Amino acid sequence: MSLVSLQDVSVAFGGPPVLNHADFAIERGERVCLLGRNGAGKSTFMKVLDGTQVPDSGAVVKLGGVTMARLDQEMPLALTGSMFEVVAEGLGDRGRLLTEYHAASIRVSTDHSDAALRELDRLHRALDSADAWQLHIRVETVLEHLALDPEARIEQASGGRTRQALLARALVCEPDLILLDEPTNHLDIEAIEWMEEYLTSRGLTLIFVTHDRAFLRRVATRIVELDRGRLVDFGTDYDTYLERKDAMLASEAKSWEEFDKRLAKEEVWIRTGIQARRTRNEGRVRGLEALRVERSQRRERVGTTRAQTQDAERSGRMVIEANAISFNHGTKPIVSELTATIMRGDRVGLVGPNGCGKTTLIKLLLGELTPQSGSIRHGTNLEIAYFDQRREQLDPERSVFDSIADGAEFVSVGGQQRHVNGYLQDFLFTPDRARTPVRALSGGERNRLLLARLFTRSFNVLVLDEPTNDLDIETLDVLEALLAGFTGTLLLVSHDRAFLDAVVSSTLVFEGKGVIREYVGGYTDWLRQRPAPVVVTASPPKRVEVPSTVKPKKRKLSYKETQELAALPDRISASEQELEQGYVSLADPAVVRDPGALGAVRSRVAELESAIPAMMARWEELETIASE
């Protein structure tokens, strides 16, 4: 039986319907990903489900006693208390009891009075009675994996940290249905991967909106798209969705082409002169009127973002050379003895947890910060464009139009003069929206505006700091294609694993305590290399001198090792397929309801998750020996 369903629901806000006679239902154990363009109405859909938004027509039917929790894109204004308090609040009365116990524990650490100890003992017994200790562990686990300080005040937290706290609150209460709107925003890769495991291993029921394709592929058991007010259920996985979506759009285009031909033919008939008027078929006239009405009600698909880079004159062959640079924040090492060379045409990704210093390294490489030791050397003829993570380059009080060319009517793009309104339409801003102040834009619209402004400039070095936040998937695909064709040098900071894999050719990974190592390829390539990392440096590593008369003996693979190497790719592929099937089984309600089956599947998934990296490492080891 469905936990919640929409039946013929419509919602409009003065324009075309955001939801147009929509039907939807979700069963227990399903994990539904809702896709759609920025502004399509995905957040409205979430609000209708949890009752925050009342539909104009239709019905929302909920199973009796169903509980929900929603992570919204818009953050509440009046949040107070510590991170622990905010997160535990999602647990209701038992959460408040946990908060009291947590505060009492902190007091006892400094106040050993009898009164403080008695209060702690009272709360300890109360937690026993409420069977709340497991909840206490759950709160601490979520806080730890999202890297949230339990004692930090929410009033002093950044927007990203506040959003992480709200995500933690939604996760710990484990309601019957969780609604997550862009849950991966502001999370680093480690936290995203932990959340993937958390959501898939507990048999939770959720509906989520995301632009993170790796997260989508791992978590979703069903895909639904909201397009021009219509909810279309594509089922299955993301790759199948892409195939079915392309087929559906092609069919729609063909159907519309045939309709337009028929309408044009009828319009010619009605205007053929006196003979047609004498023999006019009133039924045919009414049919033409119906065709006109149908055509006027057609909702065209919103265009795709179009963009092109304006390449400046080529830079010198060497772009940036870092020689043993170091930089500390107080006593905390951010960069330690990093030596690296970035050449013209390199596309370098920066990967590491939040707060590790990725933006600091960017500023060091660009010369905005001076290293405390070592040196930075820049090549010749560098023209740098910088996409700023904090969007500091946008004045919130200026309009979208004025933000492009500082109030000018025309902008030079690709060697041609274009009106700003026409250029903005390439980035999906209508002329009306172009007059909107920047402060009224959504996160995705701000990103598109900053990209539009960026691409009016010519550059040969492009620096992108978290460009993918809030962008819809179609815009991400366009940006990927744009960067793939960019002939200059790219520095990219991102937590989007699929985006990194598609764009970068090498990766600088922050491995802790200021250690940064370079790996060939994107994120997935780094995962393969990580068990036996190869450090790429500008200067050769120190080595023990071997007398010239002694030649080291090269080891060859034995017959058994040769056979093992040949078999490993198939073994790895089969194990990965079995692991994916295991993840699917963990979402199967029948498996979830059977403790024995669920335990067996979890055990096998854990076994495969440790075995696959080991096989990868062994493959790398044998490949290295075979290539010597």
Side-chain angles (χ1 to χ4, degrees):
M1 183 176 290
S2 301
L3 294 181
V4 61
S5 63
L6 304 186
Q7 299 176 0
D8 199 32
V9 166
S10 293
V11 177
F13 298 103
V18 175
L19 291 172
N20 190 11
H21 300 287
D23 294 305
F24 173 81
I26 184 168
E27 304 286 340
R28 192 177 297 277
E30 285 190 298
R31 300 190 297 272
V32 177
C33 178
L34 177 66
L35 297 180
R37 301 298 297 268
N38 289 336
K42 301 186 293 295
S43 296
T44 300
F45 172 83
M46 297 280 208
K47 292 175 181 177
V48 169
L49 279 176
D50 78 348
T52 306
Q53 174 73 47
V54 178
D56 300 332
S57 62
V60 181
V61 180
K62 299 178 184 177
L63 192 64
V66 165
T67 57
M68 293 188 193
R70 176 165 63 94
L71 172 69
D72 199 357
Q73 279 192 326
E74 301 171 2
M75 290 180 290
L77 298 176
L79 284 173
T80 60
S82 68
M83 290 291 183
F84 188 98
E85 292 172 22
V86 171
V87 173
E89 188 179 331
L91 297 169
D93 291 339
R94 289 192 293 177
R96 284 185 282 277
L97 189 60
L98 287 175
T99 297
E100 290 182 38
Y101 178 81
H102 183 75
S105 299
I106 294 173
R107 282 196 301 272
V108 166
S109 65
T110 55
D111 177 10
H112 300 290
S113 65
D114 290 341
L117 291 171
R118 283 196 301 272
E119 177 64 10
L120 184 65
D121 183 61
R122 181 188 70 80
L123 291 169
H124 193 289
R125 290 196 301 272
L127 287 173
D128 282 337
S129 300
D131 194 23
W133 286 111
Q134 192 64 33
L135 298 180
H136 190 274
I137 294 171
R138 192 189 303 169
V139 171
E140 291 183 330
T141 299
V142 173
L143 284 168
E144 177 186 352
H145 284 283
L146 294 180
L148 294 171
D149 179 1
E151 307 313 318
R153 302 295 298 181
I154 195 77
E155 304 95 305
Q156 300 168 1
S158 66
R161 284 296 187 195
T162 301
R163 184 169 171 79
Q164 288 174 333
L166 294 174
L167 170 62
R169 185 166 72 181
L171 293 178
V172 296
C173 62
E174 293 191 354
D176 296 310
L177 176 60
I178 305 177
L179 309 176
L180 301 176
D181 199 345
E182 296 287 5
T184 63
N185 276 0
H186 307 291
L187 296 185
D188 56 37
I189 291 176
E190 185 178 350
I192 292 171
E193 291 179 334
W194 171 82
M195 183 165 61
E196 289 173 351
E197 175 63 25
Y198 187 94
L199 294 174
T200 57
S201 65
R202 281 170 165 74
L204 301 177
T205 307
L206 64 142
I207 301 171
F208 64 98
V209 174
T210 187
H211 64 266
D212 187 322
R213 289 154 294 180
F215 181 83
L216 189 166
R217 283 186 166 100
R218 173 80 187 275
V219 175
T221 60
R222 180 157 63 103
I223 295 175
V224 175
E225 184 181 50
L226 180 56
D227 181 21
R228 293 163 285 176
R230 297 177 301 168
L231 273 178
V232 183
D233 191 338
F234 287 89
T236 68
D237 57 86
Y238 180 65
D239 295 309
T240 304
Y241 153 78
L242 292 176
E243 294 173 5
R244 292 180 179 176
K245 176 69 173 179
D246 286 343
M248 188 185 78
L249 290 177
S251 175
E252 180 183 73
K254 183 178 180 180
S255 174
W256 281 3
E257 181 182 0
E258 293 173 353
F259 177 92
D260 290 343
K261 287 179 180 178
R262 180 183 169 199
L263 176 59
K265 181 180 178 182
E266 294 300 293
E267 292 288 1
V268 170
W269 169 79
I270 201 68
R271 292 178 174 83
T272 53
I274 193 71
Q275 183 178 356
R277 291 194 182 98
R278 286 176 179 169
T279 59
R280 178 174 292 171
N281 182 322
E282 291 302 324
R284 190 170 178 180
V285 172
R286 288 192 295 272
L288 173 59
E289 291 297 330
L291 288 175
R292 287 172 173 170
V293 170
E294 183 178 347
R295 179 63 183 85
S296 68
Q297 292 176 345
R298 179 189 296 175
R299 290 181 66 177
E300 302 284 354
R301 181 169 165 76
V302 177
T304 300
T305 306
R306 298 185 295 275
Q308 63 182 36
T309 58
Q310 300 195 76
D311 293 352
E313 183 181 345
R314 291 209 316 175
S315 67
R317 187 167 181 273
M318 190 278 291
V319 176
I320 302 172
E321 183 181 76
N323 183 24
I325 63 170
S326 295
F327 189 89
N328 297 344
H329 279 315
T331 59
K332 179 183 178 182
I334 303 300
V335 180
S336 180
E337 296 290 323
L338 172 64
T339 296
T341 303
I342 298 173
M343 307 299 288
R344 182 180 63 228
D346 284 351
R347 298 193 298 276
V348 183
L350 275 67
V351 172
N354 287 335
C356 69
K358 297 185 293 295
T359 301
T360 299
L361 177 58
I362 287 287
K363 291 181 176 180
L364 287 167
L365 294 176
L366 296 183
E368 296 180 13
L369 285 176
T370 303
Q372 293 162 349
S373 64
S375 61
I376 296 283
R377 187 164 67 94
H378 288 167
T380 58
N381 199 33
L382 301 187
E383 294 191 40
I384 299 171
Y386 190 6
F387 183 97
D388 181 14
Q389 181 186 22
R390 300 184 183 276
R391 318 295 182 256
E392 290 170 351
Q393 299 172 30
L394 293 176
D395 182 346
E397 299 306 318
R398 301 188 80 174
S399 69
V400 171
F401 186 100
D402 290 338
S403 296
I404 291 295
D406 296 323
E409 292 282 328
F410 292 88
V411 63
S412 177
V413 180
Q416 298 179 343
Q417 290 291 111
R418 296 190 60 189
H419 194 274
V420 170
N421 273 338
Y423 177 66
L424 281 170
Q425 288 184 54
D426 289 350
F427 291 84
L428 309 184
F429 289 101
T430 64
D432 287 341
R433 196 63 173 162
R435 297 297 175 184
T436 302
V438 170
R439 56 180 159 76
L441 299 180
S442 68
E445 288 175 318
R446 289 192 185 207
N447 269 16
R448 289 207 309 269
L449 175 58
L450 197 51
L451 288 172
R453 175 180 166 122
L454 188 71
F455 293 142
T456 62
R457 300 175 51 191
S458 59
F459 48 83
N460 51 35
V461 178
L462 178 58
V463 182
L464 300 177
D465 194 350
E466 292 288 1
T468 63
N469 279 348
D470 303 305
L471 291 182
D472 58 56
I473 289 178
E474 291 187 41
T475 303
L476 281 177
D477 289 338
V478 172
L479 184 58
E480 280 180 5
L482 180 73
L483 295 177
F486 176 51
T487 58
T489 305
L490 173 68
L491 296 177
L492 170 67
V493 177
S494 180
H495 298 305
D496 189 321
R497 294 156 290 175
F499 192 75
L500 285 165
D501 282 342
V503 171
V504 305
S505 57
S506 65
T507 310
L508 289 173
V509 181
F510 286 70
E511 299 189 341
K513 299 182 180 179
V515 176
I516 301 171
R517 292 194 173 94
E518 185 177 0
Y519 296 85
V520 175
Y523 179 77
T524 303
D525 297 306
W526 168 61
L527 289 182
R528 284 198 292 266
Q529 297 173 66
R530 187 170 47 173
V534 177
V535 181
V536 180
T537 59
S539 56
K542 294 181 180 179
R543 60 186 181 186
V544 177
E545 293 294 333
V546 179
S548 57
T549 56
V550 180
K551 293 184 178 180
K553 185 178 179 181
K554 294 183 178 179
R555 184 167 101 75
K556 294 183 178 180
L557 292 178
S558 66
Y559 174 77
K560 184 176 180 181
E561 287 174 328
T562 302
Q563 296 295 103
E564 181 185 2
L565 176 60
L568 270 172
D570 290 338
R571 286 178 57 200
I572 293 170
S573 178
S575 297
E576 287 177 337
Q577 291 177 12
E578 185 181 355
L579 181 60
E580 288 299 319
Q581 184 57 48
Y583 291 140
V584 172
S585 298
L586 287 174
D588 187 341
V591 174
V592 172
R593 287 193 292 268
D594 184 344
L598 182 61
V601 172
R602 283 181 175 171
S603 175
R604 182 56 178 161
V605 165
E607 181 183 336
L608 288 169
E609 285 178 335
S610 61
I612 290 173
M615 286 190 286
M616 287 285 193
R618 178 61 173 166
W619 186 26
E620 290 285 339
E621 178 187 351
L622 294 177
E623 282 277 6
T624 301
I625 297 171
S627 63
E628 289 179 349

